[in-house]
Coordinates of all heavy atoms in Angstrom, one line a residue:
L227 N -77.7 81.1 -35.7 CA -76.8 81.5 -36.8 C -75.4 81.2 -36.7 O -74.6 81.2 -37.6 CB -76.8 83.2 -36.9 CG -78.2 83.7 -37.1 CD1 -78.2 85.2 -37.1 CD2 -78.8 83.2 -38.6
G228 N -74.9 80.8 -35.4 CA -73.6 80.4 -35.2 C -73.4 79.6 -34.0 O -74.3 79.2 -33.3
N229 N -72.1 79.2 -33.7 CA -71.9 78.3 -32.6 C -72.4 78.9 -31.2 O -72.7 78.1 -30.3 CB -70.4 78.0 -32.5 CG -69.9 77.2 -33.6 OD1 -70.7 76.5 -34.2 ND2 -68.7 77.2 -34.0
S230 N -72.3 80.2 -31.1 CA -72.8 80.9 -29.8 C -74.2 80.7 -29.6 O -74.7 80.9 -28.5 CB -72.4 82.3 -29.9 OG -73.1 83.0 -31.0
D231 N -75.0 80.3 -30.6 CA -76.5 80.1 -30.5 C -76.9 78.6 -30.1 O -78.0 78.4 -29.9 CB -77.2 80.5 -31.8 CG -77.0 81.9 -32.2 OD1 -77.0 82.8 -31.2 OD2 -76.8 82.3 -33.3
I232 N -75.9 77.8 -29.9 CA -76.2 76.5 -29.5 C -76.4 76.4 -28.0 O -75.7 77.0 -27.2 CB -75.1 75.5 -29.9 CG1 -74.9 75.4 -31.5 CG2 -75.3 74.1 -29.4 CD1 -73.8 74.6 -31.9
G233 N -77.4 75.7 -27.5 CA -77.6 75.5 -26.0 C -78.6 76.6 -25.5 O -79.4 77.1 -26.2
P234 N -78.5 76.8 -24.3 CA -79.4 77.8 -23.5 C -79.6 79.1 -24.2 O -78.6 79.7 -24.8 CB -78.9 77.8 -22.1 CG -78.1 76.6 -21.9 CD -77.5 76.3 -23.4
T235 N -80.7 79.7 -24.1 CA -80.9 81.1 -24.7 C -82.0 81.7 -23.8 O -82.7 81.1 -22.9 CB -81.4 81.0 -26.1 OG1 -81.6 82.3 -26.6 CG2 -82.8 80.2 -26.2
A236 N -82.1 83.0 -23.9 CA -83.2 83.7 -23.1 C -84.6 83.2 -23.7 O -84.6 82.7 -24.8 CB -83.1 85.2 -23.5
T237 N -85.6 83.4 -23.0 CA -86.9 82.9 -23.3 C -87.3 83.5 -24.7 O -87.2 84.7 -24.9 CB -88.0 83.3 -22.3 OG1 -87.7 82.7 -21.1 CG2 -89.3 82.9 -22.7
Q238 N -87.8 82.6 -25.6 CA -88.3 83.0 -26.9 C -89.7 82.7 -27.0 O -90.3 82.0 -26.2 CB -87.5 82.4 -28.1 CG -86.0 82.6 -27.9 CD -85.6 84.0 -28.0 OE1 -86.2 84.8 -28.6 NE2 -84.5 84.3 -27.4
T239 N -90.4 83.3 -28.1 CA -91.9 83.4 -28.1 C -92.4 83.3 -29.5 O -91.7 83.7 -30.5 CB -92.3 84.7 -27.4 OG1 -91.6 85.0 -26.2 CG2 -93.8 84.9 -27.3
G240 N -93.7 82.8 -29.6 CA -94.5 82.9 -30.8 C -95.4 84.0 -30.6 O -96.1 84.0 -29.6
Y241 N -95.6 84.8 -31.6 CA -96.5 86.0 -31.5 C -97.5 86.0 -32.6 O -97.3 85.6 -33.8 CB -95.6 87.3 -31.6 CG -94.8 87.7 -30.4 CD1 -93.5 87.3 -30.4 CD2 -95.4 88.4 -29.3 CE1 -92.8 87.7 -29.2 CE2 -94.7 88.7 -28.3 CZ -93.3 88.4 -28.2 OH -92.5 88.7 -27.1
G242 N -98.7 86.6 -32.2 CA -99.7 87.0 -33.3 C -100.2 88.4 -32.9 O -100.8 88.5 -31.8
I243 N -99.8 89.4 -33.7 CA -100.1 90.8 -33.2 C -101.0 91.4 -34.4 O -100.9 91.1 -35.6 CB -98.9 91.6 -33.0 CG1 -98.1 91.8 -34.3 CG2 -98.0 91.1 -31.9 CD1 -96.9 92.7 -34.2
L244 N -101.9 92.4 -34.0 CA -102.8 93.1 -34.8 C -102.2 94.5 -35.2 O -102.0 95.3 -34.3 CB -104.1 93.2 -34.1 CG -105.2 94.0 -35.0 CD1 -105.5 93.4 -36.3 CD2 -106.5 94.2 -34.1
D245 N -102.0 94.6 -36.5 CA -101.7 95.9 -37.1 C -103.0 96.6 -37.5 O -103.5 96.4 -38.6 CB -100.7 95.9 -38.2 CG -100.4 97.2 -38.8 OD1 -100.7 98.3 -38.1 OD2 -99.8 97.3 -39.9
S246 N -103.5 97.4 -36.7 CA -104.9 98.1 -37.0 C -104.6 99.5 -37.4 O -105.6 100.3 -37.5 CB -105.8 98.0 -35.8 OG -105.2 98.6 -34.7
G247 N -103.4 99.9 -37.8 CA -103.2 101.2 -38.2 C -102.4 102.1 -37.2 O -102.2 103.4 -37.5
S248 N -102.1 101.5 -36.1 CA -101.4 102.3 -35.0 C -100.3 101.4 -34.3 O -100.6 100.1 -34.4 CB -102.4 102.9 -34.0 OG -103.1 101.9 -33.4
R249 N -99.4 102.0 -33.7 CA -98.3 101.2 -33.1 C -98.8 100.5 -31.8 O -99.8 101.0 -31.2 CB -97.2 102.1 -32.7 CG -96.4 102.7 -33.8 CD -95.3 103.6 -33.3 NE -94.3 102.8 -32.6 CZ -93.8 103.1 -31.3 NH1 -94.2 104.2 -30.8 NH2 -93.0 102.3 -30.8

Side-chain angles (χ1 to χ4, degrees):
L227 301 173
N229 290 337
S230 62
D231 296 323
I232 298 175
T235 181
T237 300
Q238 304 302 329
T239 307
Y241 286 95
I243 62 174
L244 175 63
D245 176 17
S246 58
S248 60
R249 297 180 60 225

